[in-house]
Amino acid sequence: MNEADSEEMFLHLSARGAVRTDKLDEADAVLINTCTVRDHAEHRALSFLGRLCKWKRQNPKRIIIFAGCAAERLGNQLKKRYPYLNIVAGAKGIEHFSDTLNKSGLFTTALAAPLAPAPTLSAYVTIMRGCNFNCTYCIVPSVRGPVKCLPHEEILKEAARHAQAGAKEIMLLGQTVNAYQDGNVTFSGLLNRVSEIPGVERVRFTSPHPLYFTDEFLCTVRQNPKLARHLHIPVQSGSTRVLTEMKRGYTRELFLEKVRALQDAGCHITTDIIVGFPTETETDFEQTLTLVDEAKFLAAYCFKYSPRQGTPAAQMQLLSENVLEKRLAILLNKVRGLADQAYQRQIGTIQEVLMETENKGRASGSFWVQTPVNYPVGSLVRCPIEHAEGTLLFARNEHD
Ligand code: 5AD
Ligand code: SF4
């Protein structure tokens, strides 16, 4: 989501004549788009901002923009701590980023016509912002605000613009993306309409909430082959007691039930897990380990619990760093082999691959596949899988 927001902000800058450079010495302006979901992310952004002090001193006309979730959380205190910072653009105001640039007086007026996004094979389209949940560990609702769904007509127009520019895959984005609703257009309805846009071969989305995987969605998966067979569904914990403390709204059993139904419909699943949430006991943690075994995830991203100021869980007693480290190491060890195992299970299957280079592409279930002969980038190729090495599948040469 931050990548998509960065692109959106960059379009507003390029409408004012800016071009991209990855060489700091050549830059006249730096845009730092930040995350605050864990303390570490915020820390990295602030330490980069701190290092820019010298860069700015070399030429005081240089411009620094600090944007996104950490900017929203820290607000005006930033300019006090970093007086050389020019613009603070919090996550809630991303829709007004152009006005923020105008008000700063640091940029020329934007071109009248909006610029076309850079052509990509896979394009992001934001469909909703914010979150209506209140998971007790999470800072997102306070920095991104409540859910705002974008009108479906606008979403379809934007997706069509990307498709016309050559995108074959559309990635729909939202904090609880599958809770999307605009009048009588449901999330499933939107997925189908995006799939019908000429040129669109595949539709992905992230991040969904387990509770919104409805029967309607299951039907859509079964009926719509353009829907990617990979879903990222954050579970956070395998213990119903901890899930209740986290206010996630589902039990271990309900999560597993949804996952099985989606897997039966051909989907591969990745997840997020938090270890060491306050009150998590050894027994709770073991429940997370057994859930990993039962759910047959394709991959799991594991995080140490990080207290976020102002969230309900920040009032709870922290577990010791020792316990957090130990549990994270055990979990990481457990999830390390998941992808390799899932890749091995694909041997003998036929995968439909969207070519990202001439001999490598992604299958619908998000597996990387190498082909024995070259194909045009952006084409869809049916590949019988012969063998797997680590996280790469090798397709058989049908002419052998
Ligand atoms: N501490 C650790 N991990 C967190 N996440 C969200 N909030 C926290 C926190 N306070 C993780 C969740 C979420 C992912 C984006 O970040 O697993 O799914
Ligand atoms: Fe945070 Fe996701 Fe929970 Fe919303 S649903 S509060 S973004 S973890």
Side-chain angles (χ1 to χ4, degrees):
M1 291 198 66
N2 269 13
E3 278 178 35
D5 287 350
S6 298
E7 280 308 308
E8 193 172 326
M9 288 189 273
F10 175 68
L11 277 185
H12 289 299
L13 287 167
S14 57
R16 290 163 174 83
V19 289
R20 232 185 271 258
T21 174
D22 51 13
K23 295 196 185 73
L24 195 57
D25 282 347
E26 285 177 2
D28 303 308
V30 169
L31 166 67
I32 311 168
N33 190 19
T34 62
C35 172
T36 186
V37 78
R38 285 172 294 278
D39 189 50
H40 180 63
E42 190 176 291
H43 226 85
R44 276 174 47 203
L46 289 176
S47 84
F48 181 61
L49 179 57
R51 289 201 301 279
L52 284 183
C53 181
K54 204 169 130 211
W55 175 80
K56 176 94 184 196
R57 224 183 292 128
Q58 285 163 356
N59 178 357
K61 280 199 189 135
R62 285 171 161 169
I63 299 168
I64 304 176
I65 308 170
F66 196 78
C69 290
E72 185 69 49
R73 195 183 88 78
L74 298 164
N76 287 333
Q77 32 163 318
L78 281 165
K79 282 202 178 167
K80 284 192 201 111
R81 262 169 78 187
Y82 306 90
Y84 51 92
L85 175 57
N86 298 95
I87 300 176
V88 177
K92 279 181 192 161
I94 171 131
E95 293 110 306
H96 315 294
F97 186 65
S98 184
D99 296 339
T100 308
L101 293 181
N102 288 344
K103 271 189 216 133
S104 75
L106 294 167
F107 292 89
T108 51
T109 329
L111 302 170
L115 290 177
T120 46
L121 192 64
S122 177
Y124 294 129
V125 176
T126 300
I127 68 165
M128 63 138 70
R129 299 187 183 281
C131 177
N132 284 349
F133 280 83
N134 278 304
C135 302
T136 54
Y137 53 82
C138 186
I139 194 144
V140 169
S142 83
V143 288
R144 292 239 177 209
V147 166
K148 268 192 257 165
C149 291
L150 275 76
H152 67 276
E153 298 92 342
E154 245 175 62
I155 294 168
L156 294 173
K157 246 191 254 162
E158 167 138 24
R161 231 156 51 100
H162 284 295
Q164 266 157 19
K168 302 282 176 210
E169 181 179 273
I170 301 291
M171 169 78 114
L172 302 178
L173 298 174
Q175 224 76 51
T176 51
V177 71
N178 54 342
Y180 180 86
Q181 180 90 39
D182 176 35
N184 55 12
V185 178
T186 60
F187 180 61
S188 295
L190 185 71
L191 287 172
N192 285 335
R193 291 200 198 189
V194 173
S195 319
E196 284 160 10
I197 294 172
V200 172
E201 302 287 0
R202 193 174 279 167
V203 183
R204 297 183 183 275
F205 57 85
T206 201
S207 279
H209 191 286
L211 279 182
Y212 288 95
F213 282 112
T214 54
D215 288 345
E216 187 196 8
F217 178 80
L218 268 176
C219 283
T220 310
V221 175
R222 292 202 193 95
Q223 288 164 6
N224 184 345
K226 289 190 179 174
L227 244 187
R229 265 47 182 165
H230 166 229
L231 306 171
H232 180 73
I233 318 179
V235 63
Q236 315 299 6
S237 169
S239 152
T240 297
R241 196 195 63 76
V242 172
L243 289 169
T244 310
E245 290 283 346
M246 290 176 162
K247 288 221 170 88
R248 286 291 291 171
Y250 53 86
T251 59
R252 168 197 178 93
E253 290 71 28
L254 183 66
F255 179 85
L256 282 170
E257 205 178 286
K258 300 237 177 209
V259 160
R260 275 189 208 113
L262 292 163
Q263 285 169 333
D264 286 347
C267 296
H268 300 273
I269 295 175
T270 54
T271 198
D272 289 341
I273 299 172
I274 299 177
V275 295
F277 182 80
T279 76
E280 184 189 79
T281 62
E282 283 296 326
T283 319
D284 292 321
F285 177 60
E286 272 157 28
Q287 294 261 294
T288 296
L289 297 177
T290 57
L291 178 115
V292 169
D293 285 328
E294 284 177 43
K296 297 210 165 40
F297 295 120
L298 176 59
Y301 303 95
C302 309
F303 309 105
K304 266 193 299 187
Y305 168 71
S306 165
R308 307 307 291 129
Q309 209 182 45
T311 60
Q315 311 286 325
M316 298 168 79
Q317 174 84 47
L318 280 180
L319 300 186
S320 76
E321 185 58 25
N322 225 348
V323 168
L324 261 69
E325 289 281 354
K326 202 188 87 207
R327 289 185 188 166
L328 181 67
I330 294 171
L331 184 61
L332 285 176
N333 196 35
K334 181 158 203 85
V335 306
R336 191 169 297 134
L338 289 179
D340 287 11
Q341 290 158 24
Y343 271 71
Q344 288 295 328
R345 287 199 294 272
Q346 307 315 309
I347 297 170
T349 61
I350 293 182
Q351 301 284 333
E352 194 167 68
V353 179
L354 179 60
M355 300 307 291
E356 296 201 6
T357 67
E358 285 187 334
N359 67 350
K360 212 169 165 191
R362 277 228 279 176
S364 179
S366 96
F367 304 99
W368 283 104
V369 181
Q370 188 164 313
T371 55
V373 291
N374 287 358
Y375 296 96
V377 171
S379 56
L380 266 185
V381 183
R382 278 171 70 78
C383 295
I385 303 302
E386 195 169 53
H387 75 284
E389 272 172 35
T391 51
L392 186 58
L393 299 177
F394 290 84
R396 191 177 65 227
N397 189 343
E398 298 208 78
H399 305 295
D400 278 354

